[in-house]
Amino acid sequence: IPKIKSVTMVEGKWAIVTEYIKGETLSDLIKNNPDKREEYFELLDSFYSSGNRIKYRDDNTAEISIF
């Protein structure tokens, strides 16, 4: 679990800055396990549809880390 470094406002919206934890990105996982691509996207879809409002820097597979 990453430690919270700060809570601040960015462009008028609240942001939580956490420590960086080394891990594989979703993009890396898909490249290394192409047969599990649908499984990874189903998990990601489940996360977002559950009401979580976490916003990553770019919301692309290269920015989402899996730990």
Side-chain angles (χ1 to χ4, degrees), residues 22-41:
K22 188 174 175 134
E24 289 185 279
T25 65
L26 182 55
S27 182
D28 292 336
L29 286 171
I30 292 169
K31 285 178 191 172
N32 296 332
N33 305 286
D35 56 312
K36 293 187 175 185
R37 182 181 188 276
E38 285 301 314
E39 180 182 342
Y40 296 139
F41 279 107

Side-chain angles (χ1 to χ4, degrees), residues 2-6 16-20:
K3 293 179 182 175
I4 294 175
K5 296 269 191 180
S6 66
I16 299 172
V17 179
T18 62
E19 70 180 341
Y20 175 77

Side-chain angles (χ1 to χ4, degrees), residues 2-65:
K3 293 179 182 175
I4 294 175
K5 296 269 191 180
S6 66
V7 178
T8 187
M9 294 282 284
V10 176
E11 297 179 6
K13 296 181 182 178
W14 285 105
I16 299 172
V17 179
T18 62
E19 70 180 341
Y20 175 77
I21 296 178
K22 188 174 175 134
E24 289 185 279
T25 65
L26 182 55
S27 182
D28 292 336
L29 286 171
I30 292 169
K31 285 178 191 172
N32 296 332
N33 305 286
D35 56 312
K36 293 187 175 185
R37 182 181 188 276
E38 285 301 314
E39 180 182 342
Y40 296 139
F41 279 107
E42 285 175 15
L43 288 169
L44 188 61
D45 183 55
S46 172
F47 176 78
Y48 281 114
S49 64
S50 69
N52 290 295
R53 298 199 45 139
I54 294 176
K55 171 81 171 146
Y56 293 90
R57 261 187 303 177
D58 294 316
D59 268 354
N60 68 53
T61 58
E63 296 295 332
I64 299 172
S65 294

